[in-house]
Amino acid sequence: MAREAETHADIPFGPEDTPWQKTFSGLRVVGGRPYGTPPSSDPREAYIAVPEVPHHKVQLPPTGLDANQYTEAEALFRSHIDTQTRNFAGYQVTSALDYEGRLGHYLNRHLNNVGDPYQSGSYTLNSKVLERAVLDYFASLWHAKWPHDPKDPESYWGYVLTMGSSEGNLYGLWNARDYLSGRPLRADPRQPGRETAAGQTPRGAGAHAFHPVAFFSEDTHYSLTKAVRALDIDTFHALGSTRYPDDNPLAPGTPWPRQVPSTEHGAIDVEQLAVLVRFFASRGHPILVSLNHGSTFKGAYDDVEAVARTVRGICAQYGLDSRRVRGESGGPEERSGFWVHVDGALGAGYTPYLEMARDVGMVQQAPPAFDFRLPDVHSLTMSGHKWMGTPWACGVFMTRTGLQMAPPGASEYIGAADTTFAGSRNGFSALLMWDYLARHSYDDLVRLAARCDDLAAYTHARLLALQEQLGRDLWVARSPQSLTVRFRQPRADIVRRYSLSGETVHADGAARAYVHLYAMRHLTRQRVDELIGELRQPGAFPRSP
Ligand SMILES: *Cc1c(COP(=O)(O)O)cnc(C)c1O
């Protein structure tokens, strides 16, 4: 072991290619042996290379970098990121940011919104006062009842996420699982219990009454698959294929689909969803549906209103629309036997403004309502870095106060209820969102939304024209009112230059490699024209094997 370590200690390390064991300053070498483990192989060969930022320039020796080394390394990284920022077109995040001048100050301030946003506690270095303003803003935008009032079950409750919508989805499904499993709610702290009212056969009771089943479409973000796994929630696929392997109601005798089928444009197929929901509701399972308001790849909007109406209707037939849940202590309590979560990572931040633009005739159409106007929307999430634009992942989760699950444990230490997913929460994100919303009026954002919608239409038209000109099917498509246009995957260097994200889409019985582009507000017609120019060159679309 020791001999092997000595050999590897010679590996060249850091900007000057110093043998690793020579990169230590005197205090860290005791008895001729440096502190820590030497590399077991050359990290420069172990990791993928970023040609613009050679790995040895940024490696971190125990001495740190000297001033010249630091300047050179940081300049390489900066130039790389600035170039990629200029052309960034493949993801639904805004890269035109403008916070540095005003908010640089706070990089030297510690802001931690640990615990519930509405309780300040003893941890005073927080931005909860701004967080509450941001949450109220979104509560109003999404037609919830506000301000938050712990005594009013119809008022909203929410918090600013430390991750993006992945955390919002995880939290929403966690809340849904506990709600549908009959666990205590925050407003009604009881002993954990799974009994229903005694002495009668309550509606919605039965062997599976507290065993929820999750449904989401094949166009759903991968964070949902991860959330159901982390939370140990059964999907209809998991339950169907283990308990009812031969009974797939969509096509008896064939395997259960993993997710609910979508229509061509990526929205959940409401009729097929209804068949699947009925299968499990009729067997007494509570129903958990997660919908997309702006699906990741196609930008599709599920018809939230139609789904909520359909699910409620089916649940009503099996006593799952409203049922009584009671624990060992405390009175019986009415709860629905279904939950509708809306994943609005991009869409929930954007389409309210598009709707306002439509109402004043600036655009033709906007997607239908997805928010708390619909009484059966239980929870909603949005990413802050997508439409609004922040330098790191963040977002908002929102539900109704009366639906909140009881937080798991005591949190006297921080002086605020532990109602959020993380412990320490990033207080900078609330500041960024507050800053952005303070400096952009509804009117500003309505104009921006209309401009992005127009740019998506322009990009779509240009790609259709290119397809015509090349005489080759580039599979160009734009789902209604989405900010994304998808097309055949071009050559790898073009994909990288514009950071175009790719996905295999199954269409007409074939697996097709697509990419998409997002018309976010930093993108311009000029940049789109440049991309089209590159796509027009011979060899831009390699022949499929
Ligand atoms: C981006 C996205 C997510 C995940 O959001 P993060 O902010 O990356 O965690 C979830 N759902 C949809 C539809 C998305 O587009």
Side-chain angles (χ1 to χ4, degrees), residues 215-220 236 250 257 259-277 289-292 300-304 306-307 310-311 314:
F215 301 80
F216 44 84
S217 83
E218 61 196 20
D219 280 76
T220 299
F236 73 89
L250 293 178
Q259 283 114 15
V260 182
S262 302
T263 63
E264 183 201 338
H265 276 306
I268 195 165
D269 184 318
V270 184
E271 280 174 30
Q272 300 199 62
L273 172 68
V275 172
L276 293 166
V277 165
V289 184
S290 181
L291 297 175
N292 297 309
Y301 303 102
D302 288 346
D303 189 339
V304 181
V307 169
T310 304
V311 169
I314 294 169

Side-chain angles (χ1 to χ4, degrees), residues 112 114-115 120-124 409-418 423-424:
N112 186 340
V114 61
S120 278
S122 45
Y123 204 110
T124 56
S411 52
E412 183 194 349
Y413 179 66
I414 54 167
D418 188 17
S424 288

Side-chain angles (χ1 to χ4, degrees), residues 92-93 161 163-169 219-224 291-297 343-347 381-386 393-395 518:
Q92 58 277 51
V93 305
L161 303 161
M163 300 187 239
S165 290
S166 299
E167 181 186 340
N169 288 333
D219 280 76
T220 299
H221 190 258
Y222 57 86
S223 58
L224 262 301
L291 297 175
N292 297 309
H293 189 64
S295 66
T296 305
F297 196 71
D343 176 357
L346 170 68
T381 191
M382 175 206 78
S383 297
H385 51 294
K386 290 193 167 169
C394 65
Y518 258 98

